[in-house]
Amino acid sequence: MGRRGRARVRDPSMLTGKPLSETVERSIIDNGKDGWVTSPDLKHEGLSCEPDAMHHLTNFLLGNPNMNSSHLFRADILYDSAGILKTPEEKERMFTAYTHAEVAQEGSAKSVEAAPPKDIPGFVPVRTIVRRLIPRNSTLDRRLEQTCHQYEEKEQSPSVNRSLYVYTPHYSSPKDAPFYHPVVQSLAYLYEFRYDSADDPASPKDEENTKETGEAGERTRGGKGTLSLHILPFPASEDFDPFSARLERTLQALLSTHVRLARNARLPPRLDAQESSQTPPDEGYNPVKDNIIPRHLVQNTYSRLKLQYASDLCRDWVEDTQPSKHVFEDLAIAAFLIELWRNMYGVPPKAERKDDDEHRGQNFPGFVDIACGNGVLVYILLMEGYEGWGFDARRRKTWTILPDWVQARLRETVYIPKPFVDAVSSPDGGLLSKLTAAGIPFHTDDDIPRDTFIISNHADELTVWTPLLAARAAAYLRRPFLSIPCCSHSLSGAKFRYPPPNTKRQGKQKRDDTSSDPMAQSSDQSGDLKALRAAKQASSTVTGDPNSAAVMNSTYGSLTAKTIAIAEEIGYEVERTLLRIPSTRNMGIIGDRKRTIERLRRLATGEKMAEEGLDGANADQIETIEDIAREIVRRECARDGGIEEAAKIWIERAKGLFHVGARRRGIGHD
């Protein structure tokens, strides 16, 4: 039967079961001239979503039409008369760190006129939004401009709240409608919310009925809402059916999506002034989604990379795994890194560089992809003009399909952290001499240039090591990094599940504290299945909540929190962002992005950083950071019997990984 599909949002027994053409009826929003129609099957009653939450949900869907169609990436807002939703240009200005390069994006509203509002009896237009729908595959589907008008009732009632949104695509004929858009002249959502008499919004508010948030004067207002869909069809003709089966399926899908999201819709928590100025309101409330780089920049770059590289990589794929997931995931990560580096270093990809960009290209320090796996990410970044290399404990078959000059940048080598090198070294060479005798190449932190940008993409055993490895450059200039955690391991490389962080405790998490940490006991030991389900549901709202208990208590959430805690303990300025990649392991941890931008700015102007002279590092600061890193390693390795024992475990595991790769290539090793 395959995997179970999503549960039905609407009860089929509540529908007529008849074709749309047999159930259409005149709409209550029709003025007697235009010809608006609806159907009993295009109505859903009994929603508890309050009007303000529905308004917030509609804002979210205006910027995220991909929730309704898998053929769409997003919508670029070209104009909003209320100034709530931001245009691409306004979003870029919100990301103040874009100081090195002006990114000109197609999507100006200068040449796009808004469609005039419809005459809707009993309603008055109060807001106009013009948006451009962006398809995933621009070679198959064209972009489409669309005007949305928000209406309010002329005479508002204290017991009923009605809101209306009318969407008008910018085309005049059915044949001009792109595949992803319903073939209608206009589409409208009407939401009618009837308050319970005891909860009339005009009645006084009291503290006894305040919400669980404890905010005085704000109480739950009971009632039920009805969401209905209305269309303005094109006239019927010999070769056009205005109520086709395909249109009916599309309308049912649109209504079902709205209903499904409305059931969990909520208003975002209040933000402080700084957060509200940096969080695009049309993205829904999620403080770590699209918070580093504007979404449209990453998606536009991803579309270009996909057209340029995906076909050849999928065609030539030689691994036993399916190419689709790996190729498109690496393309998405590459797109994010390209825009991140444009943001940090002012360096565009090779195809966009002009003569005056050459000197700015010198700002980029190069990259290293630790545990680079199939090497596709290294290949794409090199092809895009960014210098770097990658290494892994075993060579992959995919390396053979890459150009020779790219293969030369992929190294089959075992990484031994410097603290482990120091722990197992001896006058006769110690354990490391056995690696050399067995023909196993290895390297340490010292083999990575000081300023190199560290990429740690699903690096497994190297995940928690990433900030420790990156910080060994210098006290004032730690290597910046991007870490995307995956599988959880301790510093010895052994599989290990870190305890959930104690979110109530301020400061860095210490291993010695976990025994008394009430959050250290997994919540599934309580046996409260209902509470677990509630926590999971709470984390699965429209935009998700990466800070929810369900996420933070998971193995992945705990690993992410541990990596962040170690980075912050060393002194990194850490940022989190949810990456738009086809993987559930999609949390990106970025270290010292803002400090790198500030350092380059001061270098360009001849200023000095507060903690360093431009001619060199402060020796005391370097010693301090090394002391902190050494203490972290000592503390974390205690569970494995100390640093020396952890080093032995690491080296044996590294030898095993290398030998697996060698056996697959038919090379014998002792």
Side-chain angles (χ1 to χ4, degrees):
M1 294 292 294
R3 52 181 194 174
R4 295 190 305 173
R6 176 178 286 160
R8 292 181 183 270
V9 175
R10 306 179 67 211
D11 185 355
S13 66
M14 303 299 292
L15 306 180
T16 65
K18 298 178 181 180
L20 179 63
S21 58
E22 298 181 15
T23 62
V24 289
E25 58 188 28
R26 182 182 173 185
S27 169
I28 62 172
I29 68 171
D30 186 52
N31 57 15
K33 298 181 295 183
D34 291 340
W36 284 95
V37 297
T38 186
S39 164
D41 291 340
L42 297 178
K43 179 186 296 186
H44 190 91
E45 301 176 337
L47 290 172
S48 58
C49 179
E50 292 194 19
D52 286 346
M54 181 63 77
H55 174 68
H56 178 70
L57 171 60
T58 302
N59 278 338
F60 171 75
L61 288 173
L62 279 167
N64 295 271
N66 50 293
M67 300 296 292
N68 283 314
S69 174
S70 60
H71 295 275
L72 292 173
F73 248 152
R74 66 180 187 278
D76 285 345
I77 304 301
L78 307 183
Y79 171 74
D80 183 358
S81 62
I84 298 174
L85 306 181
K86 303 302 180 184
T87 67
E89 293 80 3
E90 289 172 330
K91 286 182 179 180
E92 287 170 32
R93 286 196 292 271
M94 292 171 70
F95 289 81
T96 56
Y98 269 85
T99 56
H100 293 295
E102 293 293 332
V103 183
Q105 290 292 327
E106 180 183 359
S108 172
K110 294 179 181 178
S111 60
V112 179
E113 295 291 336
K118 306 289 185 184
D119 180 18
I120 307 294
F123 287 85
V124 58
V126 295
R127 179 184 173 201
T128 299
I129 304 104
V130 181
R131 64 177 183 170
R132 173 174 288 141
L133 303 177
I134 308 297
R136 285 183 176 274
N137 192 333
S138 58
T139 62
L140 293 178
D141 302 308
R142 70 177 181 85
R143 300 181 176 188
L144 175 68
E145 284 75 37
Q146 186 188 69
T147 298
C148 174
H149 288 106
Q150 178 185 348
Y151 292 76
E152 291 182 354
E153 283 190 293
K154 292 180 180 179
E155 298 181 3
Q156 298 185 10
S157 166
S159 59
V160 181
N161 182 293
R162 293 184 178 90
S163 56
L164 178 69
Y165 291 84
V166 177
Y167 299 79
T168 302
H170 293 195
Y171 57 68
S172 57
S173 171
K175 68 178 186 300
D176 295 329
F179 177 80
Y180 54 79
H181 195 280
V183 186
V184 294
Q185 295 185 67
S186 289
L187 176 77
Y189 290 92
L190 175 63
Y191 189 59
E192 302 173 276
F193 190 84
R194 297 183 179 276
Y195 296 98
D196 295 337
S197 58
D199 290 312
D200 192 294
S203 62
K205 299 177 182 179
D206 57 78
E207 295 188 5
E208 292 182 1
N209 293 318
T210 54
K211 290 184 176 180
E212 292 182 1
T213 55
E215 297 174 18
E218 183 180 346
R219 65 188 180 88
T220 302
R221 297 160 60 183
K224 293 296 180 182
T226 299
L227 181 66
S228 55
L229 200 54
H230 307 253
I231 61 171
L232 183 59
F234 282 102
S237 64
E238 183 177 345
D239 59 350
F240 175 70
D241 178 6
F243 305 116
S244 66
R246 179 170 177 263
L247 175 63
E248 181 177 9
R249 291 193 302 271
T250 301
L251 296 178
Q252 290 290 353
L254 289 173
L255 184 57
S256 294
T257 298
H258 224 100
V259 168
R260 174 173 59 84
L261 297 178
R263 286 174 176 169
N264 290 321
R266 59 173 180 165
L267 287 173
R270 289 186 174 90
L271 307 177
D272 61 34
Q274 180 179 4
E275 288 177 323
S276 62
S277 67
Q278 296 179 356
T279 304
D282 56 309
E283 301 296 345
Y285 178 71
N286 191 327
V288 296
K289 192 169 187 178
D290 302 318
N291 59 319
I292 304 297
I293 307 295
R295 173 175 63 166
H296 65 283
L297 297 182
V298 177
Q299 287 185 335
N300 289 350
T301 299
Y302 171 73
S303 295
R304 177 181 65 80
L305 296 179
K306 183 173 67 172
L307 290 174
Q308 187 170 350
Y309 301 106
S311 178
D312 290 345
L313 285 169
C314 290
R315 180 198 62 206
D316 299 334
W317 194 256
V318 292
E319 300 284 353
D320 297 331
T321 55
Q322 290 295 320
S324 53
K325 177 186 184 301
H326 297 280
V327 169
F328 294 118
E329 183 174 334
D330 285 336
L331 286 168
I333 295 172
F336 178 80
L337 282 168
I338 287 172
E339 293 304 324
L340 178 68
W341 291 340
R342 188 200 302 266
N343 167 247
M344 293 176 63
Y345 304 105
V347 183
K350 181 170 59 177
E352 299 178 24
R353 293 178 192 171
K354 302 175 183 178
D355 292 341
D356 57 353
D357 288 325
E358 292 304 319
H359 71 282
R360 290 195 300 178
Q362 298 174 3
N363 288 335
F364 185 66
F367 70 87
V368 58
D369 186 357
I370 64 177
C372 64
N374 58 43
V376 170
L377 180 58
V378 174
Y379 162 69
I380 297 167
L381 295 174
L382 289 173
M383 293 292 291
E384 289 295 300
Y386 298 94
E387 287 298 316
W389 59 289
F391 67 82
D392 203 289
R394 58 185 179 87
R395 179 182 297 271
R396 303 299 202 276
K397 289 187 289 185
T398 310
W399 296 9
T400 62
I401 70 173
L402 304 177
D404 291 342
W405 68 273
V406 174
Q407 293 187 48
R409 308 289 184 89
L410 298 172
R411 305 177 190 176
E412 185 181 27
T413 176
V414 169
Y415 167 72
I416 310 295
K418 186 65 163 56
F420 287 173
V421 173
D422 297 338
V424 299
S425 296
S426 63
D428 61 354
L431 286 177
L432 297 182
S433 64
K434 295 183 179 180
L435 293 180
T436 304
I440 300 177
F442 66 91
H443 69 281
T444 69
D445 310 49
D446 296 335
D447 297 315
I448 300 176
R450 189 181 75 172
D451 297 347
T452 304
F453 187 98
I454 307 295
I455 303 172
S456 176
N457 171 27
H458 294 179
D460 292 348
E461 292 91 345
L462 294 180
T463 298
V464 182
W465 274 107
T466 299
L468 292 164
L469 180 158
R472 296 185 61 83
Y476 72 92
L477 182 59
R478 302 166 185 85
R479 299 182 184 104
F481 68 85
L482 168 66
S483 176
I484 309 172
C486 185
C487 300
S488 188
H489 295 77
S490 67
L491 288 190
S492 70
K495 291 184 178 180
F496 181 76
R497 192 220 192 276
Y498 290 97
N502 184 352
T503 56
K504 295 181 180 180
R505 182 174 65 238
Q506 301 299 318
K508 307 300 182 291
Q509 181 184 17
K510 304 293 186 181
R511 176 179 180 272
D512 295 339
D513 296 343
T514 58
S515 59
S516 59
D517 185 350
M519 291 286 287
Q521 299 298 322
S522 178
S523 59
D524 59 3
Q525 295 176 0
S526 67
D528 190 349
L529 185 59
K530 185 177 180 180
L532 284 174
R533 287 175 176 169
K536 182 176 181 181
Q537 184 178 11
S539 69
S540 303
T541 56
V542 172
T543 57
D545 183 2
N547 298 314
S548 68
V551 173
M552 296 305 291
N553 288 347
S554 69
T555 300
Y556 185 67
S558 299
L559 172 63
T560 301
K562 185 64 176 181
T563 305
I564 292 173
I566 287 180
E568 290 179 336
E569 190 172 353
I570 294 173
Y572 272 102
E573 184 179 42
V574 179
E575 298 171 286
R576 293 185 301 155
T577 187
L578 279 172
L579 301 173
R580 293 182 177 272
I581 61 178
S583 173
T584 56
R585 304 294 194 261
N586 62 343
M587 180 61 77
I589 304 170
I590 302 172
D592 274 7
R593 175 184 68 96
K594 294 179 181 178
R595 284 178 179 169
T596 300
I597 293 173
E598 177 64 12
R599 174 181 175 273
L600 291 175
R601 186 192 70 78
R602 295 198 176 203
L603 281 172
T605 59
E607 298 179 51
K608 289 187 177 183
M609 296 290 284
E611 56 188 3
E612 50 112 352
L614 293 181
D615 56 344
N618 184 309
D620 294 336
Q621 292 287 340
I622 295 177
E623 183 177 354
T624 299
I625 197 67
E626 288 186 345
D627 289 342
I628 294 173
R630 191 179 300 111
E631 173 57 24
I632 292 173
V633 173
R634 183 204 63 77
R635 185 186 72 219
E636 295 298 319
C637 288
R639 64 171 57 93
D640 295 302
I643 294 180
E644 186 172 349
E645 289 302 316
K648 293 177 181 178
I649 296 172
W650 180 274
I651 292 173
E652 288 303 314
R653 286 178 59 85
K655 288 168 60 178
L657 288 172
F658 188 87
H659 287 160
V660 167
R663 285 196 299 271
R664 289 179 179 177
R665 300 192 311 279
I667 303 174
H669 282 280
D670 296 331

